[in-house]
């Protein structure tokens, strides 16, 4: 389901239970549309995520780590000025709409208490976060500023009066429990009631058709929360739900809280989206190169197919040379007997050439094709290796974390695919190579997060008797199991990690090759991450995210 008004209603209740009365200790904006408030409440720090992302807008408590940008945004500076150390008085929802209002009280430099509201509007691409002076209703600042010519309905700049989005004039289902609704379709329910999304309306329609009432449905939301991820019965599309939608979904996994549910659901989606935002220009360039390379491979294969007829040209030259006396100058064709199989062969001739010149013409075509084969094969190998390499780089963006993007950029710079950064660019700290895990039986496992790290781990940092894992014939990370005598469980766990850090992350029964590093070598001039090996064994595993998380050091 989407983050509709019904989900917003119960999320506001969860936020009040956990954060009301807490103090804002830290304010960060790790990404353009997302704000993290660290709230000290119930003797512990909790991260409140306010997101105005066009696809993943939401409000929740999150356990995910976020890096603090070196330079704070203007919005963060405004928030730090006015609401650092503010007390969270209350979380409220506007009717049953997707608007979350946080009432705050904070002291200024003189010790005077002032009231503010932090408002998150969840409206797809129009989502926004506002800091509003509660005393005069003025916008102090907002995460997305919009000029008046692009928005005639209300001002969306600092200093404007805060005005609510256009009202929908629908009924709040939590305030009016209409009992006679069994004849309403899902579309009717969405039109009549505020904050009911597609999935909720489909479940409510089926729920009412079973003889239940809207009061019964509201009671489930009030008293029987069951945060879960589930597949739609009709589309088998994974979604998140605050209660069990027993009529329209099949549960996949349940969670202790709504925030834990959202962390799990958005973990990969938000990460991939952030990486896409940071690497748009890079992926666009690599896609262009890939398109050219794949077109080149098609042309080379076509040229290679043409070389299959070179033996025919050689035969024509031989026959014309052998039967030279039968060839008349000015003829356009001649039929000669192939003395290898006694079959007649019809040969085209150039009337302007002499018999000898026609024979040499076919010999020349034969030699040209013959000499082209090594060059075509060389170009095919070079271009195919480049395609495999670029696809491995693009695939790695599907499973690396946001902090690993710089390593991939450095790899592309070293490989000459993108230009070097300017000299005055901020120097990166030297990072630990790879990501570390430990098997259940205590054996260390390390994963390369880009092709340069893969090379370092496999060819330089690991011992010859360690074991190397990689998904079979699919782009993925190199995984090193640091032992010469692995047990069966550690092999399975290392293979599972290799499957998870690969393009096959969303698949099942993924084949993973494993072999001792002594059996691996890197050809001279090969692209980063490319190795060849022999004597490997193969194991089938499922890329289990929870297992990978449990094994992380």
């Amino acid at each position: 389901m989407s983050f509709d008004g019904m989900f917003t209603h119960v999320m506001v209740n969860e936020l009040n239970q956990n954060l009301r009365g807490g103090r804002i200790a830290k304010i960060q904006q790790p990404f353009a549309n997302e704000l993290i408030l660290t709230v000290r409440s119930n003797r512990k720090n909790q991260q409140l995520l306010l997101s105005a992302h066009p696809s993943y807008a939401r409000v929740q408590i999150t356990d995910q780590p976020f890096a603090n940008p070196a330079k704070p945004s203007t919005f963060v500076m405004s928030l730090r000025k006015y609401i650092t150390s503010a007390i969270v008085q209350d979380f409220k929802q506007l009717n049953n709409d997707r608007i979350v209002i946080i009432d705050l009280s904070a002291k200024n430099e003189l010790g005077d208490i002032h009231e503010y509201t932090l408002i998150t509007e969840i409206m797809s691409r129009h989502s926004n976060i506002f800091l509003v002076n509660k005393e005069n209703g003025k916008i102090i600042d907002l995460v997305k500023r919009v000029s008046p010519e692009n928005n005639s309905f209300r001002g969306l700049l600092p200093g404007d009066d805060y005005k609510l989005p256009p009202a929908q004039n629908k009924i709040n289902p939590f305030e009016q429990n209409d009992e006679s609704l069994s004849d309403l379709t899902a579309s009717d329910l969405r039109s009549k009631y505020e904050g009911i999304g597609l999935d909720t309306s489909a479940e409510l329609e089926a729920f009412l058709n079973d003889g239940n009432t809207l009061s019964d449905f509201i009671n489930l939301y009030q008293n029987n929360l069951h945060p879960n991820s589930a597949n739609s019965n009709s589309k088998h599309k994974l979604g998140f739900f605050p209660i069990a939608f027993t009529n329209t979904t099949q549960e996949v996994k349940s969670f202790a809280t709504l925030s834990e549910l959202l962390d799990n659901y958005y973990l990969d989606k938000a990460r991939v989206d952030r990486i896409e935002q940071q690497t748009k220009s890079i992926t666009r360039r690599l896609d262009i190169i890939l398109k050219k390379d794949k077109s080149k491979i098609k042309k080379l294969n076509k040229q290679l197919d043409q070389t299959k007829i070179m033996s025919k040209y050689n035969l024509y030259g031989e026959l014309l040379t052998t039967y030279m006396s039968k060839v008349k100058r000015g003829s356009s064709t001649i039929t000669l007997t192939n003395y290898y199989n006694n079959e007649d062969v019809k040969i085209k001739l150039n009337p302007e050439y002499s018999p000898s010149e026609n024979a040499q013409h076919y010999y020349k075509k034969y030699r040209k094709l013959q000499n082209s084969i090594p060059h075509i094969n060389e170009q095919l190998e070079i271009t195919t290796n480049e395609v495999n390499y670029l696809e491995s780089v693009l695939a790695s963006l599907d499973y690396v974390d946001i902090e690993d993007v710089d390593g991939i950029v450095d790899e592309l710079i070293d490989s000459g695919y993108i230009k070097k950064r300017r000299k005055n660019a901020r120097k990166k700290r030297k990072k630990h190579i790879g990501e570390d895990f430990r098997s259940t039986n205590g054996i260390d496992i390390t994963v390369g997060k880009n092709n340069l790290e893969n090379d370092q781990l496999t060819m330089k940092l690991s011992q010859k008797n360690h074991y190397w894992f990689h998904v079979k014939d699919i782009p993925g990370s190199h995984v090193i199991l640091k032992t010469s005598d692995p047990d069966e469980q550690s092999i399975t766990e290392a293979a599972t990690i290799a499957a998870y850090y690969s393009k096959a992350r969303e698949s099942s029964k993924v084949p993973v090759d494993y072999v001792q590093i002594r059996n691996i070598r890197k050809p001279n001039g090969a692209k980063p991450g490319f190795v060849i090996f022999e004597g490997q064994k193969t194991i089938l595993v499922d890329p289990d995210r929870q297992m990978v998380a449990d094994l992380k050091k």
Side-chain angles (χ1 to χ4, degrees):
M1 71 181 294
S2 60
F3 200 110
D4 66 4
M6 302 292 284
F7 196 98
T8 305
H9 182 92
V10 290
M11 176 56 77
V12 165
N13 292 340
E14 179 174 292
L15 295 175
N16 273 319
Q17 290 170 13
N18 288 278
L19 300 179
R20 184 159 52 189
R23 180 178 58 84
I24 296 176
K26 191 175 181 181
I27 301 170
Q28 300 167 261
Q29 190 180 351
F31 306 103
N33 300 315
E34 295 180 339
L35 189 69
I36 295 289
L37 305 180
T38 302
V39 180
R40 182 73 179 174
S41 178
N42 299 321
R43 298 184 178 181
K44 62 180 179 180
N45 288 336
Q46 299 183 74
Q47 291 186 134
L48 174 62
L49 168 64
L50 308 180
S51 174
H53 191 282
S55 301
Y56 310 129
R58 63 198 187 278
V59 178
Q60 66 166 108
I61 297 168
T62 180
D63 289 329
Q64 298 303 314
F66 292 92
N68 198 14
K71 185 178 180 181
S73 67
T74 303
F75 185 49
V76 165
M77 294 298 288
S78 295
L79 294 176
R80 289 175 180 174
K81 177 181 178 180
Y82 290 98
I83 62 171
T84 296
S85 298
I87 303 300
V88 179
Q89 301 291 351
D90 196 17
F91 289 88
K92 295 184 292 189
Q93 178 187 20
L94 180 67
N95 301 318
N96 197 43
D97 204 351
R98 295 181 299 170
I99 298 177
V100 178
I101 302 168
I102 309 173
D103 288 333
L104 304 168
S105 62
K107 291 182 180 180
N108 63 12
E109 296 87 346
L110 301 176
D112 299 325
I113 296 177
H114 292 275
E115 304 292 328
Y116 303 96
T117 53
L118 196 56
I119 303 170
T120 304
E121 297 178 353
I122 301 172
M123 302 187 302
S124 300
R125 64 189 181 92
H126 299 295
S127 298
N128 216 329
I129 304 171
F130 301 81
L131 177 64
V132 178
N133 186 327
K134 197 173 182 180
E135 294 160 5
N136 60 20
K138 299 284 187 183
I139 298 172
I140 296 173
D141 211 342
L142 65 167
V143 75
K144 296 179 186 176
R145 300 183 180 190
V146 182
S147 60
E149 55 265 25
N150 292 326
N151 184 65
S152 59
F153 179 78
R154 58 176 179 162
L156 293 174
L157 292 173
D160 289 332
D161 291 326
Y162 175 72
K163 186 177 180 181
L164 289 169
Q168 294 182 316
N169 298 319
K170 296 181 182 180
I171 300 170
N172 183 346
F174 288 92
E175 294 180 355
Q176 181 173 335
N177 300 338
D178 192 338
E179 301 297 327
S180 56
L181 301 174
S182 59
D183 58 336
L184 295 185
T185 65
S187 178
D188 294 333
L189 292 167
R190 291 196 303 276
S191 299
K192 182 173 183 177
Y193 291 101
E194 183 179 35
I196 294 183
L198 282 169
D199 292 322
T200 305
S201 65
E203 175 67 17
L204 179 54
E205 179 186 13
F207 186 81
L208 295 172
N209 287 337
D210 283 344
N212 300 296
T213 66
L214 180 59
S215 298
D216 297 327
F217 196 66
I218 294 300
N219 181 62
L220 290 175
Y221 266 83
Q222 300 283 31
N223 303 304
N224 292 282
L225 281 186
H226 180 71
N228 69 99
S229 59
N231 281 317
S232 166
N233 287 344
S234 58
K235 298 178 183 176
H236 297 288
K237 184 180 180 181
L238 187 70
F240 58 90
F241 304 88
I243 64 174
F245 279 17
T246 54
N247 295 287
T248 57
T249 68
Q250 296 176 334
E251 184 175 318
V252 173
K253 189 175 181 181
S254 63
F255 298 86
T257 66
L258 299 170
S259 292
E260 184 183 326
L261 163 65
L262 293 182
D263 261 354
N264 181 271
Y265 181 81
Y266 284 115
L267 179 63
D268 282 337
K269 292 179 174 61
R271 174 187 57 79
V272 170
D273 179 80
R274 291 164 188 153
I275 290 172
E276 285 177 352
Q277 293 301 316
Q278 283 202 2
T279 60
K280 268 184 181 178
S281 60
I282 295 172
T283 54
R284 194 182 305 117
R285 174 167 174 75
L286 297 188
D287 283 337
I288 290 171
I289 297 172
L290 266 174
K291 187 176 180 180
K292 289 180 179 177
D293 281 348
K294 289 179 178 180
S295 176
K296 183 178 179 180
I297 287 174
K298 284 184 179 179
K299 291 177 181 177
L300 289 169
N301 281 321
K302 191 174 181 181
Q303 291 174 12
L304 200 59
D305 285 340
Q306 290 175 349
T307 65
K308 294 175 182 178
I309 63 172
M310 67 180 184
S311 58
K312 183 172 68 171
Y313 294 151
N314 187 48
L315 176 64
Y316 289 173
E318 284 185 17
L319 295 178
L320 289 172
T321 302
T322 303
Y323 300 109
M324 189 79 68
S325 59
K326 293 185 179 181
V327 182
K328 294 180 181 179
R329 191 180 187 104
S331 300
S332 59
T333 62
I334 189 172
T335 301
L336 300 172
T337 302
N338 181 355
Y339 39 72
Y340 292 110
N341 55 20
N342 292 321
E343 293 181 357
D344 288 341
V345 177
K346 188 175 183 180
I347 304 173
K348 286 185 178 181
L349 302 174
N350 188 330
E352 296 180 1
Y353 289 175
S354 68
S356 176
E357 287 173 337
N358 272 300
Q360 291 304 315
H361 171 70
Y362 279 113
Y363 278 133
K364 187 176 180 180
K365 291 180 73 172
Y366 163 73
R367 286 192 296 270
K368 183 178 180 180
L369 290 174
Q370 186 182 46
N371 293 336
S372 71
I373 291 175
H375 174 74
I376 293 172
N377 285 331
E378 180 186 8
Q379 289 299 309
L380 263 176
E381 183 179 4
I382 292 171
T383 311
T384 301
N385 287 341
E386 182 171 66
V387 167
N388 291 337
Y389 170 70
L390 294 178
E391 286 182 340
S392 75
V393 172
L394 290 172
S396 68
L397 294 174
D398 291 338
Y399 55 80
V400 299
D401 295 323
I402 191 74
E403 59 268 21
D404 300 311
V405 171
D406 284 336
I408 294 174
V409 172
D410 290 339
E411 173 188 335
L412 292 170
I413 291 172
D414 290 347
S415 299
Y417 287 100
I418 58 177
K419 293 181 180 179
K420 290 184 180 180
R421 295 185 177 95
R422 291 176 298 179
K423 288 184 179 180
N424 62 351
R426 191 163 57 92
K427 197 172 182 179
K428 301 286 182 193
R429 290 182 300 172
K430 191 172 181 180
K431 283 182 61 180
H432 170 70
I433 300 295
E435 189 163 350
D436 296 324
F437 298 80
R438 182 164 288 152
S439 75
T440 303
N441 293 325
I443 301 174
D444 287 338
I445 303 169
T446 303
V447 180
K449 302 302 284 291
N450 58 61
N451 285 310
L452 292 179
E453 287 192 356
N454 288 337
D455 274 357
Q456 287 278 319
L457 285 174
T458 301
M459 308 311 299
K460 294 183 179 179
L461 301 180
S462 299
Q463 298 177 17
K464 295 295 183 184
N465 58 358
H466 288 167
Y467 276 79
W468 177 89
F469 292 74
H470 193 283
V471 285
K472 188 178 185 68
D473 301 327
I474 299 172
S477 289
H478 293 201
V479 176
I480 309 298
L481 180 62
K482 298 181 178 180
T483 180
S484 61
D485 186 24
D487 59 277
E488 197 170 315
Q489 184 171 357
S490 294
I491 288 174
T492 300
E493 290 172 348
T496 300
I497 293 171
Y500 183 75
Y501 285 98
S502 78
K503 199 171 182 178
R505 174 179 280 196
E506 302 300 328
S507 306
S508 60
K509 302 302 178 188
V510 178
V512 177
D513 290 332
Y514 66 98
V515 68
Q516 276 191 307
I517 290 177
R518 68 175 76 255
N519 296 317
I520 296 174
R521 64 186 180 88
K522 186 175 183 67
N524 291 334
K527 294 285 186 184
F530 179 79
V531 295
I532 56 178
F533 51 91
E534 57 187 5
Q536 73 274 15
K537 295 180 180 178
T538 304
I539 182 174
L540 293 175
V541 294
D542 292 326
D544 188 331
R545 175 192 290 171
Q546 191 58 52
M547 177 191 286
V548 173
D550 292 342
L551 296 176
K552 197 167 185 178
K553 281 173 120 180

